[in-house]
Amino acid sequence: MREDVFLQRKEFFVLDALRCLRHDNSQNQCSKCINICDVNALSIFKKRITLNAELCTNCGECIGSCPTESLSLESFDMSGFVLDFVQKDKSSIVDGVDVPTVGMFDAYHIVSIMLRKKSDIDFVTTSHTKENMTKYINDKIDTANEFLEQLNLPYRAKSVFKETTTDTKKRGLLKNIFTITKEIKTDDNASKQLKKVEKYVPPKLTLLKNSLKLISEELNVENIKTVKGLIANKEIDFQACTNCGECAHFCPTEALFRSSENDGIFFQSGKCIGCGVCKMVCEPDAITSPASVDLTRFMFDQADLLVHYEYHTCNECKTAFAYKGKGDICDRCLTYKDDFADMFVMAKDL
């Protein structure tokens, strides 16, 4: 059970520190939420993301930037909004009216809406939308459209600007906080189920995979290029890998995981959020990111065996080591004499 000590709040806004990439790995450099907050309410304290409630305006503009969905508004569930919106006869989403802020969207949400609606959708920014938010949503729309183009689908997300009055903005914001939550109650159970399906995987990623499955029979592509911020792939160089398991240990979504016998490392592209933690902790730099991914394996969370080891007993130290065809001596013993050559100088040689 999560303890309240890990939940930092400002009224409706919540930072769940247990989901943050920096919680388990303080060396992680993710600062996307900090970069988008123009009131400096989010900062680094003891190498972790911290919320300054006094500065926070409860706007929610940083929410969509978080890879693990550790940021949220209690009054507005994004997965619930997507599931509700696709049931309506609407072709536009207006900032501050249909959603509290366009900053709550990620490319995952945009693609999921497009796949389920099967039509062009306008994402409307207004004269009240901040400049950084306009750029943010345009970048996410470009990412979503890049993915849709690879799927050979005809519909696209569009960025549209619309003049609005201050009163309209205020009415829309109040509507979002006090009314929209009630409107999406019919999809509340489905939204909660998204969070239960995978304990570690962000609901928005599960939503995307489910959306792809709904149209899988219409898709005529097998491999697609990886799209930064949406879909990723991994490979491990067998010769460089030391089988230390750090990549699997620190993977926040368990996209990388070890075999039951600890003699191999598997990868599921359908769980990868492209955070780069695995590459950062890999001391021998054995992890690379291929430029393409199998779409079916992504959708259905199929795992690929990236490396597999046979264990031999070292002739010198008698401990088990990952055999790489270089003889029955582990790397530690193989390099020990060279590393500590000065210790083996005979007295007669002095």
Side-chain angles (χ1 to χ4, degrees):
M1 181 178 294
R2 294 177 181 272
E3 299 180 9
D4 288 341
V5 68
F6 293 109
L7 299 178
Q8 301 176 42
R9 302 174 182 272
K10 170 62 184 289
E11 297 176 3
F12 297 110
F13 181 74
V14 179
L15 163 60
D16 186 346
L18 285 179
R19 290 183 177 273
C20 180
L21 287 174
R22 284 179 176 262
H23 181 265
D24 289 328
N25 187 349
S26 60
Q27 299 303 314
N28 183 270
Q29 300 300 309
C30 182
S31 59
K32 293 181 178 180
C33 59
I34 294 176
N35 296 338
I36 211 166
C37 179
D38 56 7
V39 296
N40 299 317
L42 293 165
S43 60
I44 304 296
F45 179 70
K46 293 184 177 180
K47 298 183 179 181
R48 290 177 171 81
I49 303 293
T50 302
L51 173 67
N52 186 327
E54 293 183 1
L55 296 178
C56 180
T57 61
N58 206 39
C59 67
E61 291 181 344
C62 58
I63 289 175
S65 67
C66 182
T68 56
E69 292 190 284
S70 66
L71 308 172
S72 64
L73 283 182
E74 289 186 332
S75 60
F76 196 90
D77 175 63
M78 279 305 297
S79 296
F81 170 79
V82 171
L83 295 172
D84 177 67
F85 179 81
V86 297
Q87 302 298 322
K88 296 180 178 180
D89 186 21
K90 295 185 64 175
S91 60
S92 65
I93 299 173
V94 183
D95 176 36
V97 176
D98 296 302
V99 290
T101 170
V102 292
M104 298 183 73
F105 283 103
D106 197 352
Y108 294 99
H109 302 120
I110 297 175
V111 172
S112 295
I113 290 173
M114 306 299 294
L115 295 177
R116 290 168 183 260
K117 290 286 281 188
K118 297 184 179 181
S119 63
D120 292 347
I121 300 293
D122 293 338
F123 289 81
V124 184
T125 55
T126 72
S127 52
H128 300 285
T129 307
K130 296 177 183 178
E131 184 178 349
N132 66 327
M133 281 295 98
T134 299
K135 182 182 184 305
Y136 170 85
I137 193 64
N138 287 342
D139 289 344
K140 294 302 179 182
I141 286 174
D142 289 343
T143 298
N145 285 337
E146 180 184 349
F147 185 69
L148 292 168
E149 184 176 359
Q150 288 198 68
L151 297 180
N152 296 324
L153 298 175
Y155 30 88
R156 296 290 184 269
K158 299 179 181 179
S159 177
V160 177
F161 175 79
K162 179 181 179 182
E163 287 283 354
T164 57
T165 65
T166 302
D167 289 339
T168 301
K169 176 76 173 180
K170 288 181 178 179
R171 287 199 301 270
L173 206 54
L174 289 173
K175 178 178 183 291
N176 284 316
I177 295 177
F178 299 110
T179 306
I180 289 183
T181 302
K182 296 179 181 179
E183 292 179 357
I184 65 175
K185 282 298 182 183
T186 54
D187 291 300
D188 188 50
N189 289 334
S191 178
K192 288 181 178 178
Q193 188 61 31
L194 286 175
K195 299 174 183 177
K196 292 179 180 179
V197 171
E198 298 290 353
K199 181 179 179 181
Y200 302 98
V201 177
K204 60 186 177 184
L205 178 51
T206 304
L207 182 65
L208 172 61
K209 290 183 289 185
N210 289 345
S211 300
L212 284 167
K213 291 172 187 176
L214 290 174
I215 63 162
S216 59
E217 294 184 357
E218 303 173 28
L219 300 175
N220 57 7
V221 293
E222 295 181 3
N223 292 290
I224 63 172
K225 295 179 181 179
T226 56
V227 179
K228 186 176 182 180
L230 193 62
I231 184 170
N233 198 4
K234 300 295 176 186
E235 285 183 351
I236 296 179
D237 183 340
F238 175 78
Q239 290 301 328
C241 177
T242 61
N243 197 32
C244 67
E246 292 290 279
C247 58
H249 177 74
F250 285 106
C251 179
T253 61
E254 294 190 341
L256 286 162
F257 62 95
R258 305 195 72 170
S259 63
S260 57
E261 300 297 327
N262 288 330
D263 58 356
I265 298 175
F266 288 85
F267 173 72
Q268 290 175 281
S269 58
K271 292 184 178 181
C272 181
I273 58 175
C275 63
V277 169
C278 56
K279 187 171 180 62
M280 184 195 69
V281 300
C282 182
E283 188 172 339
D285 196 23
I287 298 177
T288 56
S289 300
S292 64
V293 65
D294 186 299
L295 187 59
T296 299
R297 301 188 76 78
F298 169 79
M299 282 190 291
F300 294 96
D301 288 332
Q302 295 178 357
D304 294 300
L305 180 61
L306 300 189
V307 287
H308 180 264
Y309 292 94
E310 292 181 8
Y311 280 95
H312 285 204
T313 300
C314 176
N315 289 338
E316 296 292 332
C317 64
K318 308 304 179 184
T319 59
F321 72 99
Y323 179 70
K324 294 185 178 181
K326 296 181 181 179
D328 288 333
I329 300 178
C330 68
D331 289 341
R332 183 175 57 182
C333 291
L334 196 62
T335 60
Y336 188 85
K337 183 175 181 179
D338 292 334
D339 293 342
F340 299 96
D342 58 319
M343 295 176 59
F344 295 92
V345 177
M346 302 297 289
K348 66 181 181 64
D349 297 324
L350 293 176

